[in-house]
Amino acid sequence: MIHIEGLTKRYGERRVLDGVDWVQAAGETTVLFGGSGCGKSTLLRCLNQLERADAGRIRIAGHDIDPAQAPAADVLRRLRCGVGMVFQQFHLFSHRTALENVMEGPLHVLGRLQGEVRQEALDLLSRVGLEGHADQFPHQLSGGQQQRVAIARALAMKPQVLLLDEPTSALDPQLREEVRRVLRGLAEEGMTMLVVTHDLRLARQIADRAAFLDGGRILESGPAEQVFGNPVHERTQQFLEEVHS
Amino acid sequence: MLQIRLLTFLFGTLGLLGQDLWSEISRKGALRWGNDAEGGAPYIYHDPVDVSRLIGFEVEFAEALCARLGLRSEFVQNNWDLLVPVLGTGDAFDLIIAGLERTPENLARLSMSRPYFAFGQQLVVRSNDLALSSLDRLKDRPVGVLSASASQRLLERHGGVRIRIYQDNVNYFQDLELGRVDAVLADSPIVEANLPLHPQLRKAGPFLETGFYAVGVRPTDRELLRRVDAAVEALLEDGTLKKIYSRYGVWGPEQERLSAWRDEGLAVRQRISVWRDWRVYLPLLLRASVTTIWVTCGGMALAVLLGLVLVLARLHGPTPIRWLAVAYIEVFRGTPLLLQIYFIYFGLAQQLGLRLSAGLAAVVALGLNYAANEAENYRAGIQGVPQGQVDAGLALGMTRSLVLRRVVLPQALRLCLPSVTNDFIAMFKDSSIVSVIALVELTKEYQIRAIDTGDYVGLGLMTAGIYFTISYAASLGARHLERRLRRDPH
């Protein structure tokens, strides 16, 4: 489902990604973690082409991406329809209600009909536990509620892969659990997810595999219990200790 | 006691000031006369040979008058429209020598000397318009006149034609040639001086009315008036006037009336109370405000649309287009609106033969000018929409233009609405500037009526009331719109 080879991205002189290789099967949930500035978010943004890598190959949700050339508009559209994204800061459209946020993609990108889209969007909102909040605007919702709307908005496109960029880190600790619960449900249903997070509780709950990113490379990866419980690499141990303390 | 003495002293001084202007003048040895150098040939204009020097029959008359009084001549520049009120309130000049007509309207506001010049009201038309040779044949057609002139009053009394009011003596001939007006009514010297420059124009019929120019002084300056009267009479008798006027080609048989002139005591018109006659003046002002409103609405509509094109070009266009948009914005923001109006109304007609009507030119000028502001307002609004929401839109598979349409612009509109409303209200007031191209909007109507009646305060309050009512209604409307756009109040 996701196949990355030698992905490299430079900002000026600095190599943010320095030859990342990663393979992830359909139905798998993996967690990427690492210190700030290690390239985690950049990696996600390269996967759905919000940023273009400098070198390497990406194959995701059936699309081949060659960083050397700008993708054609319709390739880009199909890629992004197949790869959903959830942001740390939610980025809901603040002039639209929760329901309208969820309906926006299917209506205006996929060109589907109002009636069926509306019903699906209402179902998605109840699936993330927000039945009664369809007509509220983002600023009327708590952070946890906003993030759940954002997840519903991404799911409305029926993506094959979901990319999540620190989905719980902008939330107060007591609001994180409601988002974790939703993501746990998705993992159990077999959604393919690549999650960047420092939230180790979330990681333990949903991750099949985990990878530690450091200096633009994957330093260590393996089954989640092993990477979190018994990391091999010294820097991984160090990082996990710092996060725990 | 002290207060009473102080008051007596003050009034005494004021009285003295009035009485004593002549001795003040003779002490200084200089007479300051007000006129407007924009008046043009043959009255007062810059010598084509030496452009730093003012010449004209009024300049030479003023100099001869001063010489006769044993005084130095000192010219003071003042907007022609406002010469009389400025003389009345200020100390900018001692008297007015500026083609001021000896009419009941003027005599109601100031004292006037015996006439120094006789003129006739001459109708001018295009040579090929054979049918349009009298006012009656010009029914419902546009006729140009000088603002606050005897010609304007004549047309108002006569009725039937569409009066187009100009700020100077030159532009209406040009507009007559261009077909923007079908006739011009002007004082004979203006016609004599300008017809040679416009071979396509001709005089139509005899003088409609005759009149005199006289020197204007404050009613309190009786001694000055007496001496001016005597000096004018002497200049007439010794042939000085004839010599001066002949040099400028304005000595005609009508000047014989100068020596025959006797003060018949023109019925001095009473000062008018606009409050008592509000039924007359309020509708006049309201009618003029219709012009203000449609010029503003048209200009703003253009500005809002063109501003959008400009901001999209600036933010999302290819490089050369982006530069063009930036250049447009900077040029239109960096040059005066007045200049742009002249350029669009006169410049385009002269250079490209593009003859916009005054109304259209006003709308275009205001629109082009404000488009630059609106583009900057939109830019602030667009940049106020968080980049994260743009990413979120792109991540949903939206194209850049769909993101712009669905995510950025609706929110940018909400963000920039207050500044666009501000601009609307500012344009509403700025639109008074279009009176320079012969559009009578609210401020111009106020100016004309205030000069007529002398009631600057009463008419001013009425006019301000109209401006305020409309501005306030506009801002209430905008606030309502803001609330509707912002269904979610941040």
Side-chain angles (χ1 to χ4, degrees), chain B residues 335-344 433:
Chain B
T335 54
L337 178 56
L338 184 62
L339 208 63
Q340 293 164 13
I341 291 177
Y342 276 130
F343 191 87
I344 287 164
I433 205 171

Side-chain angles (χ1 to χ4, degrees), chain B residues 230-251:
Chain B
V232 171
E233 194 166 2
L235 290 173
L236 180 64
E237 259 151 34
D238 70 8
T240 310
L241 290 187
K242 182 172 183 179
K243 226 185 299 170
I244 293 174
Y245 298 168
S246 303
R247 251 202 310 275
Y248 290 92
V250 292
W251 182 270

Side-chain angles (χ1 to χ4, degrees), chain B residues 103-121:
Chain B
T103 56
E105 288 87 356
N106 278 335
L107 283 166
R109 301 180 294 162
L110 76 176
S111 293
M112 301 199 82
S113 71
R114 64 167 296 140
Y116 62 85
F117 190 87
F119 69 95
Q121 302 258 1

Side-chain angles (χ1 to χ4, degrees), chain A:
Chain A
M1 184 58 69
I2 303 176
H3 192 113
I4 305 172
E5 251 179 59
L7 196 67
T8 303
K9 170 79 182 170
R10 277 183 296 267
Y11 289 133
E13 287 298 295
R14 206 163 69 86
R15 278 169 186 266
V16 183
L17 298 176
D18 190 10
V20 172
D21 301 317
W22 186 247
V23 179
Q24 180 173 345
E28 236 185 351
T29 295
T30 59
V31 162
L32 273 174
F33 65 105
S36 73
C38 72
K40 316 176 295 270
S41 297
T42 307
L43 179 60
L44 287 196
R45 292 172 68 86
C46 285
L47 289 184
N48 75 348
Q49 293 289 289
L50 282 179
E51 281 179 49
R52 259 173 74 195
D54 295 310
R57 294 198 63 82
I58 301 171
R59 184 170 172 75
I60 184 166
H63 299 281
D64 273 309
I65 302 164
D66 180 2
Q69 49 195 316
D74 65 314
V75 174
L76 199 59
R77 195 178 72 92
R78 274 184 286 131
L79 165 76
R80 285 171 175 168
C81 290
V83 181
M85 182 130 182
V86 173
F87 300 86
Q88 180 178 4
Q89 300 290 347
F90 336 129
H91 298 327
L92 292 181
F93 305 131
S94 45
H95 58 309
R96 304 201 185 283
T97 62
L99 184 65
E100 287 168 341
N101 263 279
V102 179
M103 292 168 68
E104 187 70 21
L107 276 184
H108 296 283
V109 178
L110 302 177
R112 294 176 52 202
L113 295 174
Q114 176 92 19
E116 55 178 52
V117 168
R118 189 182 161 80
Q119 194 48 55
E120 277 182 22
L122 286 169
D123 291 346
L124 276 170
L125 282 177
S126 70
R127 194 167 143 196
V128 297
L130 290 171
E131 300 77 359
H133 298 80
D135 294 326
Q136 285 182 304
F137 284 92
H139 76 278
Q140 296 169 310
L141 300 170
S142 72
Q145 292 170 327
Q146 288 189 54
Q147 190 61 298
R148 286 184 281 153
V149 174
I151 293 168
R153 176 174 69 179
L155 291 176
M157 298 294 286
K158 304 198 172 116
Q160 295 171 264
V161 179
L162 208 51
L163 308 174
L164 297 104
D165 188 3
E166 308 207 29
T168 56
S169 62
L171 303 175
D172 293 336
Q174 69 270 24
L175 297 179
R176 288 184 182 163
E177 192 48 40
E178 58 193 54
V179 173
R180 288 188 196 119
R181 199 180 310 130
V182 169
L183 295 180
R184 208 157 56 222
L186 286 176
E188 280 161 11
E189 287 166 29
M191 185 76 202
T192 310
M193 293 192 284
L194 179 53
V195 189
V196 165
T197 190
H198 291 164
D199 181 347
L200 293 185
R201 191 177 300 173
L202 172 67
R204 288 214 176 83
Q205 287 173 355
I206 63 172
D208 300 312
R209 287 193 303 140
F212 179 63
L213 204 61
D214 189 63
R217 289 167 179 278
I218 290 179
L219 210 58
E220 174 167 4
S221 68
E225 310 88 70
Q226 183 202 309
V227 175
F228 291 125
N230 195 11
V232 180
H233 212 281
E234 195 185 331
R235 290 185 64 93
T236 317
Q237 290 168 8
Q238 224 173 11
F239 179 79
L240 287 173
E241 272 162 30
E242 278 166 22
V243 172
H244 269 299
S245 60

Side-chain angles (χ1 to χ4, degrees), chain B residues 328-381:
Chain B
Y328 178 99
I329 291 168
E330 294 306 332
V331 166
F332 274 84
R333 285 201 311 176
T335 54
L337 178 56
L338 184 62
L339 208 63
Q340 293 164 13
I341 291 177
Y342 276 130
F343 191 87
I344 287 164
Y345 188 62
F346 297 115
L348 292 185
Q350 282 171 358
Q351 300 301 321
L352 304 175
L354 188 60
R355 290 170 200 178
L356 303 180
S357 72
L360 188 59
V363 166
V364 168
L366 287 170
L368 293 184
N369 181 274
Y370 271 72
N373 285 352
E374 297 330 300
E376 291 296 280
N377 283 342
Y378 298 156
R379 191 161 68 99

